[in-house]
Each structure stands twice: as C-alpha cells, then as structure tokens.
Amino acid sequence: ALESIICIAAMRDRFLPANTNLASADPECAMLDYVFEPRSATLAHVMNNNFAFGGVNTSLIFRNV
C-alpha cells in the first residue's frame, strides 16, 4: 500500500522518486535513465510491482486523470 501511495503522489506532485540504495550504476549494465536524486517529471502512468512469498505477484498500473 505504501508503494502505491508514493506512485500516486509522484503523479500528483510531478516528481520521480530516487531509486533506493542506488549510489552508482555498474558500467556493464544497460544504459538506462537511473534516478539517483529525485527530480521533476510529468507522469501519465506509473506501475507498482509487488512480489510476495509463495509466488504471489501483482502489478498495479495507475493512470493520471
């Protein structure tokens, strides 16, 4: 539930939260847009993935209206 609240707040307040515990990216990893510090962004959709014990997996997709 907490992750969903952060996703909705990010859309409402127009920001990308930083990736937790990511200080630097491995140079062997793909060249992606890693978010080291929070920054402003306009988000139309956000996705929240949840992985639980026993193989219970859920993805919630929120759309900005």
Side-chain angles (χ1 to χ4, degrees), residues 26-40:
D26 187 330
E28 297 293 321
C29 291
M31 294 302 299
L32 300 175
D33 185 13
Y34 299 102
V35 182
F36 296 105
E37 297 290 330
R39 65 176 185 242
S40 63

Side-chain angles (χ1 to χ4, degrees), residues 46-60:
V46 294
M47 182 170 68
N48 178 6
N49 293 315
N50 295 287
F51 306 100
F53 294 110
V56 178
N57 303 325
T58 304
S59 291
L60 298 173

Side-chain angles (χ1 to χ4, degrees), residues 3-52:
E3 293 168 352
S4 295
I5 292 169
I6 293 169
C7 286
I8 293 168
M11 282 193 304
R12 182 195 63 205
D13 297 339
R14 298 180 178 182
F15 75 95
L16 289 174
N19 293 61
T20 303
N21 298 323
L22 180 64
S24 64
D26 187 330
E28 297 293 321
C29 291
M31 294 302 299
L32 300 175
D33 185 13
Y34 299 102
V35 182
F36 296 105
E37 297 290 330
R39 65 176 185 242
S40 63
T42 301
L43 306 170
H45 299 86
V46 294
M47 182 170 68
N48 178 6
N49 293 315
N50 295 287
F51 306 100

